[in-house]
Amino acid sequence: MGYELVGTPKTEKVTQSLAIKFRDMDPVPHDRPLNPKRVEAYRKMLAAGLFRPVQWATVHCNETQATYRVNGKHTSNLFAEYEELPQPIHATIEHYHCDDIDDVARLYATFDSRAQVRTTNDINRAFAAIDPELSELPTKIINLCVTAIAYCKHGDQYAQIPAAERAECLLDENNKMFVAWVHAVLGNSGNKESSRLLWRSSVVAAMHASYQKSRRDANEFWLAVRDGTGSTPKTPDRVLNRFLLGKAVLGSKTSRHSSGLVSPREMFVKCLHAWNAWRRDTTTDLKYHAQAKIPAAV
């Protein structure tokens, strides 16, 4: 049967008692634990007035004869702390009905915390604001790195991951150092000639994969790619430099070019081929086969 909306969603002003009610409900089975750092990020959003009306939902399951909270875990936990919220918040509350627990899981998967705040940019900035060093970095760098880290992990499916989950990568200490390094390599803007060829999320995703293997080698390799300083035209960094200078990513803002377009996946894979060849001290022609498995960084 799937899931079915019961009645019409109703909008209520969020009060402490309403927030406590949702906070204390049974979560859907296999719901991830509360993330205190995400709550802290949302607290910063609340203080900045960045919340839209929130979407909370419950579901009654015939199979278990239980009612679960489907959405609103982090926001209800946050709002329950306040006798009076810093800004008026309204909740659109939906109630659903499911026959079995599998349908509960399908319903749960449809909710994305991005709907609770203004933009993905706001979410990324709020998570970055938790760390004093990240908070000083340009928003362009933060957004680029969050997307790149998600692409490195999830490939072309990264956009299906909720925005807040993608931004949680900024809470990892190694990722914080990676973002700072990317800022050092790329500078503040993708408009700089010296770093423009690297200013693509698929390229930075490959930078992330290489950085995880060796920070020292990653720094040497990607500076060489950026500046085209390899000892001969056949070194992998020079080969990749020429490829990146001549190609744009299909679907990006540069897709107005009439030729030289490649998919994000192809660019990611060719960057990995170049990195792997450089680490092995061999050559590469960056061959790409769309059906082949993405290579692991070495």
Side-chain angles (χ1 to χ4, degrees):
M1 164 182 159
Y3 46 84
E4 181 181 5
L5 179 67
V6 178
T8 303
K10 296 182 179 179
T11 300
E12 298 184 36
K13 185 176 181 180
V14 174
T15 61
Q16 188 176 45
S17 60
L18 180 62
I20 290 172
K21 175 184 175 182
F22 267 80
R23 181 196 66 187
D24 295 344
M25 287 184 70
D26 289 335
V28 298
H30 309 299
D31 187 18
R32 287 180 290 275
L34 183 77
N35 186 324
K37 290 187 176 179
R38 187 185 295 189
V39 174
E40 182 61 29
Y42 284 173
R43 183 176 288 107
K44 292 179 183 292
M45 296 180 196
L46 182 63
L50 294 176
F51 267 88
R52 292 173 175 172
V54 295
Q55 184 183 19
W56 290 350
T58 70
V59 62
H60 181 79
C61 177
N62 274 354
E63 181 181 354
T64 62
Q65 284 299 301
T67 298
Y68 305 103
R69 182 190 62 234
V70 183
N71 195 47
K73 172 178 58 189
H74 288 90
T75 50
S76 63
N77 270 268
L78 172 63
F79 298 158
E81 298 176 7
Y82 295 87
E83 291 186 10
E84 185 174 345
L85 289 166
Q87 70 172 99
I89 299 289
H90 287 78
T92 299
I93 301 174
E94 302 171 1
H95 299 287
Y96 290 86
H97 174 269
C98 292
D99 278 340
D100 56 49
I101 205 68
D102 288 341
D103 289 333
V104 171
R106 294 187 185 96
L107 174 63
Y108 173 70
T110 65
F111 286 90
D112 185 341
S113 57
R114 175 170 31 196
Q116 313 296 338
V117 294
R118 295 191 185 280
T119 65
T120 299
N121 179 78
D122 293 328
I123 292 174
N124 291 342
R125 275 266 49 116
F127 275 80
I130 295 174
D131 184 87
E133 294 182 8
L134 289 182
S135 66
E136 298 298 320
L137 296 182
T139 299
K140 283 185 177 182
I141 287 287
I142 297 296
N143 290 344
L144 177 66
C145 289
V146 168
T147 299
I149 292 170
Y151 192 92
C152 184
K153 184 176 182 179
H154 301 287
D156 289 333
Q157 306 304 311
Y158 83 94
Q160 297 179 16
I161 307 302
E165 287 187 33
R166 298 199 300 268
E168 282 180 3
C169 72
L170 298 174
L171 307 178
D172 178 86
E173 194 63 35
N174 289 328
N175 286 338
K176 292 177 187 178
M177 290 188 287
F178 170 73
V179 175
W181 172 68
V182 169
H183 179 237
V185 174
L186 271 63
N188 293 333
S189 172
N191 294 326
K192 287 187 176 181
E193 287 294 336
S194 62
S195 63
R196 185 179 298 171
L197 76 165
L198 302 182
W199 201 275
R200 281 67 89 77
S201 57
S202 48
V203 176
V204 179
M207 292 173 69
H208 183 252
S210 62
Y211 186 83
Q212 291 178 303
K213 293 298 180 180
S214 170
R215 295 174 189 174
R216 179 181 60 82
D217 282 358
N219 190 63
E220 181 180 347
F221 174 76
W222 289 104
L223 288 177
V225 173
R226 185 192 70 184
D227 301 332
T229 54
S231 57
T232 74
K234 291 186 177 181
T235 58
D237 52 286
R238 288 277 294 278
V239 173
L240 182 59
N241 172 275
R242 290 194 299 274
F243 169 75
L244 294 176
L245 285 173
K247 300 296 181 181
V249 180
L250 184 67
S252 74
K253 293 180 180 179
T254 55
S255 62
R256 62 181 180 273
H257 292 281
S258 58
S259 62
L261 299 177
V262 298
S263 69
R265 187 181 191 274
E266 180 175 352
M267 187 165 283
F268 178 54
V269 167
K270 290 196 172 189
C271 286
L272 291 176
H273 282 324
W275 162 258
N276 288 347
W278 185 85
R279 287 265 280 177
R280 291 167 173 152
D281 197 22
T282 62
T283 59
T284 178
D285 56 6
L286 305 182
K287 283 185 178 178
Y288 173 74
H289 302 284
Q291 303 307 315
K293 184 179 178 181
I294 292 177
V298 300

